[in-house]
């Protein structure tokens, strides 16, 4: 119901915009998407976790960001509040932005002359109903969910911050995951990652933990691996 209400609000706003000007919905969607991308850039969170480099990383990251934003706008998938995607804070803001924009358009009578008074009155009532429903449903959803997940809707944590936190505070299994993500995520703690690898490599060679696979070894930069011991053979 929460997702359906969010989608209904978005659809209603687009319909109202289309009644004012045929191209306004497109301008709104483009502006909304650019605002989101600028937010990601400002947070230094534009690069997606996909382990690519250079221009290819930027292009793929941009495409992924736009697709996920579009999916959230018109499908309202809760799981995309993850720091690797929209992030909790922006996901929550994204729920209410169309409602606030719709209320703004109706409050200023921007649609007056394009819609009848009866239609405008209906839309104003619809804004109140949808807005109230969104707040009530979101409140009920938060009350029913586990306490540990509630703060994820207001979290400003970025993908890189979460990845580094998992490394600094997690187990070796969690730390090992840092090499499956974009290397830009680990740059601020590159020295700590290198130290962890060099100090643990010999032990891992002996104990063979499940994550210590050939594929994982290949993902580790050569300059982080300990120097190989070469004994002279007589």
């Amino acid at each position: 119901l929460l997702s359906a209400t969010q989608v209904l609000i978005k659809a209603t706003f687009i319909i109202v915009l289309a009644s004012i000007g045929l191209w306004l919905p497109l301008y709104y969607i483009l502006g909304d998407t650019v605002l989101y991308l600028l937010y990601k850039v400002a947070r230094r969170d534009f690069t997606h976790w996909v382990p690519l480099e250079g221009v290819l990383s930027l292009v793929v990251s941009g495409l992924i960001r736009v697709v996920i934003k579009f999916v959230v706008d018109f499908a309202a998938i809760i799981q995309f509040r993850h720091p690797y995607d929209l992030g909790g804070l922006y996901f929550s803001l994204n729920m209410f932005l169309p409602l606030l924009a719709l209320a703004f358009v109706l409050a200023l009578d921007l649609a007056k002359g394009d819609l009848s008074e009866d239609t405008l009155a209906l839309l104003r009532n619809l804004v109140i109903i949808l807005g109230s429903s969104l707040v009530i449903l979101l409140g009920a959803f938060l009350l029913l969910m586990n306490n540990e997940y509630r703060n994820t809707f207001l979290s400003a944590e970025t993908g890189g911050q979460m990845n580094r936190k998992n490394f600094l505070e997690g187990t070796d299994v969690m730390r090992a995951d840092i090499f499956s993500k974009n290397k830009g995520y680990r740059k601020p703690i590159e020295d700590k990652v290198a130290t962890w690898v060099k100090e643990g490599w010999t032990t891992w060679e002996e104990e063979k933990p499940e994550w210590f696979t050939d594929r994982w070894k290949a993902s580790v930069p050569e300059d982080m691996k300990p120097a190989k011991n070469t004994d002279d053979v007589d």
Side-chain angles (χ1 to χ4, degrees):
L1 286 176
L2 179 62
S3 297
T5 301
Q6 184 182 347
V7 172
L8 183 57
I9 291 171
K10 189 87 171 184
T12 302
F13 181 49
I14 288 177
I15 291 171
V16 171
L17 286 180
S19 69
I20 300 173
L22 190 60
W23 290 98
L24 284 182
L26 178 60
Y27 295 153
Y28 167 74
I29 292 172
L30 287 175
D32 187 38
T33 302
V34 169
L35 177 64
Y36 166 64
L37 294 178
L38 289 175
Y39 170 82
K40 283 294 185 181
V41 171
R43 295 296 319 282
R44 297 184 179 180
D45 192 35
F46 179 81
T47 304
H48 199 259
W49 65 262
V50 177
L52 299 173
E53 298 181 30
V55 176
L56 182 59
S57 176
L58 292 175
V59 172
V60 172
S61 293
L63 288 173
I64 292 175
R65 295 294 185 201
V66 170
V67 169
I68 290 177
K69 177 68 166 63
F70 191 82
V71 170
V72 170
D73 283 345
F74 295 97
I77 298 175
I78 296 291
Q79 287 77 7
F80 282 135
R81 73 184 188 281
H82 194 282
Y84 286 151
D85 301 311
L86 258 70
L89 181 60
Y90 201 92
F91 183 91
S92 298
L93 290 174
N94 197 63
M95 281 186 178
F96 290 94
L97 281 176
L99 179 66
L100 294 174
L102 177 58
F104 179 78
V105 168
L106 294 176
L108 294 184
D109 288 332
L110 297 181
K112 195 171 184 179
D114 299 290
L115 298 174
S116 66
E117 287 298 327
D118 289 340
T119 301
L120 287 173
L122 177 63
L123 286 172
R124 292 189 184 101
N125 291 331
L126 188 60
V127 167
I128 296 173
I129 294 171
L130 290 176
S132 301
S133 299
L134 184 61
V135 171
I136 293 171
L137 289 170
L138 181 58
F141 183 75
L142 292 175
L143 284 174
L144 292 173
M145 75 186 325
N146 293 334
N147 291 339
E148 59 185 299
Y149 296 125
R150 286 175 186 163
N151 68 330
T152 62
F153 282 86
L154 295 175
S155 173
E157 187 176 46
T158 66
Q161 288 170 346
M162 189 190 77
N163 197 237
R164 292 188 290 275
K165 179 181 177 182
N166 287 344
F167 179 86
L168 296 172
E169 301 178 6
T171 61
D172 280 346
V173 175
M174 296 171 69
R175 289 174 176 172
D177 184 60
I178 201 164
F179 292 109
S180 69
K181 303 299 186 289
N182 194 291
K183 72 176 186 178
Y185 281 9
R186 67 174 184 263
K187 264 190 175 182
I189 57 169
E190 195 93 50
D191 56 337
K192 292 182 174 63
V193 176
T195 299
W196 171 71
V197 171
K198 289 176 181 177
E199 290 180 350
W201 195 276
T202 302
T203 302
W204 303 330
E205 288 280 13
E206 295 173 355
E207 297 179 355
K208 299 283 192 281
E210 288 186 10
W211 52 267
F212 193 65
T213 62
D214 290 338
R215 182 177 180 180
W216 185 85
K217 294 176 190 177
S219 69
V220 178
E222 290 298 324
D223 61 346
M224 286 191 182
K225 298 177 183 178
K228 294 181 179 179
N229 294 321
T230 54
D231 298 327
D232 292 333
V233 179
D234 294 333

